[in-house]
Amino acid sequence: MGTVEWDSPASELAVKQFEIVAERLNLDRNVAARLKRPDRALIVSVPTRLDSGDVHVFTGYRVQHNDVLGPFKGGLRYHPGVNLGEVFALSMWMTWKCALAGLPLGGAKGGIACDPRELSRTELQSMTRRFTAEILNFIGPDIDIPAPDMGTNEQVMAWIMDTYSQHKGHSVPEIVTGKPVAIGGTLGRKDATGRGVVYTIIEAAKHLKMDLSRSSAAIQGFGNVGLVAARDLAQLGVKVIAVSDRSGGLVNKRGLPLDDLIQHKEKTGRLEGFSRAEKIPGMDLLELKCDILIPAAGELQITEENASRLQCRILAEGANGPTTLEADTILEKKGIFILPDILANAGGVIVSYFEWVQDLQNFFWTEAEVNQKLREMMTRGYREVLQMSAKEKVGMRLAAQMIGVSRVAQAMLWRGLYA
Ligand code: NAD
């Protein structure tokens, strides 16, 4: 694709994965050329007054990859490593994810290069409001609907919703998903991604004839996705033997005291300082002997370097893009069953879709309804991918991407621009 500004290790991975799928599907070459690039990539300056009185100019991004199936949809990430290439890669994965889940939505992603833990609440709010103002003309309930991702939460979504509503002169809850329930959020959104990961694990365990109540799990990342997945797995009787966050890893082969750990994390904001488990370096967690491994932090964690040392039976990708192409080949040879990101972590966008629908209709569902519909859609997605994998004799990742990409390509051909 040449050296353009959105080149990065993550975008290289996303584009290479796409090229493999395009070749396998024998995709129309005009469609393929278009899908390799985003529709639109926006870089904005976000001047923010800090508590010190200085004004710091943060850099913000919104990349809209494809909206042939419906409005753009995707999270906002606050993290020091955010860059255009990473956001582009994440936006492309969102396109395939929405298509695979059968949602009438396209793919986008955004973020600000910042460390939210270093910012006060006032600074975070000012930065978020200014960012919203900068992208205001490019988002909208029928255009592009942001949501939370790493480093953002329901409070950030509430500020975005408020800023957008102030500009429009009336309340527009349907501009973001992942909002607090009190202002138009849906029940069940906060837990949806982790819960969805666990629904796919349940299906995979049935397929592999694994007894979950005799299984163990290790989880990288103890945030919105990792913590909920850990809690839900423990409820099924799975022994959670290790977890990690930015501050490092904790292991206890007999099972971690999860309730206390969650309390500690809620109180201190990190795992560090918890005394009832052994400390391990964060990356070592990935190589522990366990039945289920869940990467639920950043991209490119499982690589050519460490893939051969993984000892899990199921790799359930809570994070987006945690596994490189080279690692994929190694894992496949080792017989590790992969629940790929665009399938395993789709619960977040599925319940975001439910939230958007409820906001548009001003009619709200019970949590049981949300969870039941989520489970149905996750299970359907899993079965479609498994079937494709068997029919085409390909791994689960390629199968999932083939379904997502072919649905988007079909829609483009129907709409008539490319053939
Ligand atoms: P979060 O900010 O709530 O939590 C991230 C966690 O990862 C934190 O505990 C953090 O300390 C930890 N972490 C960061 N770097 C780490 C490292 N090097 N080693 C170990 N832990 C590390 O974010 P989240 O919303 O849980 O998102 C996690 C992943 O899941 C991301 O890849 C995100 O794109 C993906 N995802 C999130 C959602 C969602 O609804 N939030 C949906 C789909 C996919």
Side-chain angles (χ1 to χ4, degrees):
M1 157 164 131
T3 42
V4 283
E5 282 187 29
W6 53 64
D7 280 351
S8 77
S11 60
E12 213 174 279
L13 171 62
V15 171
K16 271 197 203 143
Q17 286 176 340
F18 171 71
E19 285 170 347
I20 293 169
V21 178
E23 198 183 314
R24 178 87 203 196
L25 289 172
N26 202 10
L27 212 63
D28 178 280
R29 70 187 160 82
N30 296 324
V31 168
R34 185 69 189 84
L35 285 174
K36 257 195 217 182
R37 304 169 62 105
D39 281 8
R40 178 188 284 140
L42 204 63
I43 304 179
V44 295
S45 295
V46 189
T48 304
R49 189 168 297 281
L50 304 180
D51 296 344
S52 64
D54 287 344
V55 172
H56 183 79
V57 184
F58 292 96
T59 308
Y61 306 90
R62 186 73 184 167
V63 178
Q64 299 169 336
H65 174 251
N66 186 282
D67 68 345
V68 72
L69 291 173
F72 298 107
K73 186 91 192 75
L76 280 180
R77 179 173 287 194
Y78 288 179
H79 188 275
V82 166
N83 60 64
L84 188 60
E86 180 186 74
V87 178
F88 162 47
L90 291 162
S91 73
M92 187 188 259
W93 288 322
M94 277 307 290
T95 303
W96 316 144
K97 193 186 300 184
C98 291
L100 174 61
L103 305 177
L105 295 167
K109 205 82 182 190
I112 302 180
C114 69
D115 188 345
R117 292 167 313 165
E118 302 276 297
L119 298 172
S120 70
R121 184 183 160 88
T122 318
E123 291 167 339
L124 207 55
Q125 174 163 188
S126 310
M127 182 185 77
T128 300
R129 288 188 182 277
R130 183 60 189 247
F131 175 65
T132 309
E134 293 297 336
I135 63 167
L136 204 105
N137 289 326
F138 299 91
I139 58 172
D142 304 321
I143 303 168
D144 182 357
I145 307 124
D149 190 72
M150 241 157 82
T152 57
N153 54 24
E154 60 179 8
Q155 176 61 81
V156 173
M157 296 306 117
W159 290 327
I160 295 175
M161 179 264 194
D162 186 66
T163 309
Y164 189 87
S165 298
Q166 282 180 5
H167 279 261
K168 295 290 161 189
H170 58 94
S171 193
V172 190
E174 61 273 25
I175 180 60
V176 283
T177 57
K179 306 176 285 295
V181 172
I183 54 169
T186 182
L187 296 167
R189 171 61 182 89
K190 236 163 68 188
D191 291 354
T193 310
R195 186 169 280 151
V197 171
V198 174
Y199 289 152
T200 59
I201 292 171
I202 294 172
E203 293 304 312
K206 280 188 210 156
H207 173 66
L208 299 171
K209 302 196 169 38
M210 269 169 69
D211 179 355
L212 282 178
S213 67
R214 290 163 176 269
S215 302
S216 59
I219 301 170
Q220 180 197 43
F222 206 57
N224 186 30
V225 181
L227 187 152
V228 173
R231 191 198 61 201
D232 285 9
L233 281 177
Q235 276 166 9
L236 294 172
V238 175
K239 196 161 61 172
V240 178
I241 60 162
V243 295
S244 68
D245 70 0
R246 254 187 225 104
S247 68
L250 294 174
V251 63
N252 183 338
K253 297 258 164 75
R254 279 172 286 130
L256 291 163
L258 218 53
D259 289 345
D260 296 347
L261 198 56
I262 291 173
Q263 254 186 26
H264 171 83
K265 153 87 196 201
E266 273 161 7
K267 215 159 76 192
T268 65
R270 57 190 63 213
L271 292 172
E272 205 173 22
F274 187 76
S275 54
R276 290 171 51 210
E278 198 184 314
K279 278 193 207 155
I280 48 162
M283 287 306 279
D284 289 9
L285 173 141
L286 300 172
E287 299 171 20
L288 291 173
K289 187 162 174 42
C290 61
D291 297 301
I292 302 156
L293 177 66
I294 308 181
E299 298 93 53
L300 310 173
Q301 298 297 302
I302 301 163
T303 63
E304 193 173 16
E305 198 277 313
N306 61 2
S308 61
R309 297 194 295 275
L310 260 58
Q311 303 187 64
C312 58
R313 183 91 198 276
I314 295 177
L315 175 69
E317 296 182 338
N320 288 304
T323 310
T324 66
L325 276 178
E326 296 76 15
D328 251 341
T329 313
I330 299 170
L331 299 181
E332 209 156 298
K333 275 199 195 121
K334 283 171 71 85
I336 292 178
F337 190 80
I338 298 179
L339 291 166
D341 48 7
I342 61 167
L343 170 67
N345 71 33
V349 73
I350 289 173
V351 176
S352 272
Y353 165 63
F354 296 163
E355 181 174 334
W356 181 63
V357 167
Q358 292 170 73
D359 287 338
L360 289 171
Q361 300 187 337
N362 271 308
F363 182 74
F364 290 87
W365 310 349
T366 64
E367 185 160 9
E369 280 175 285
V370 170
N371 290 343
Q372 188 209 335
K373 287 189 170 70
L374 169 64
R375 187 163 193 166
E376 276 167 22
M377 288 181 73
M378 292 299 300
T379 307
R380 188 182 69 200
Y382 169 84
R383 288 188 184 146
E384 285 175 353
V385 174
L386 190 68
Q387 262 170 22
M388 176 67 96
S389 157
K391 183 167 149 251
E392 295 293 327
K393 299 191 174 41
V394 295
M396 290 289 278
R397 182 183 319 284
L398 190 49
Q401 287 173 343
M402 284 168 71
I403 297 173
V405 171
S406 60
R407 284 181 183 159
V408 174
Q410 263 305 321
M412 285 169 77
L413 290 171
W414 271 116
R415 287 179 60 163
L417 254 173
Y418 294 88

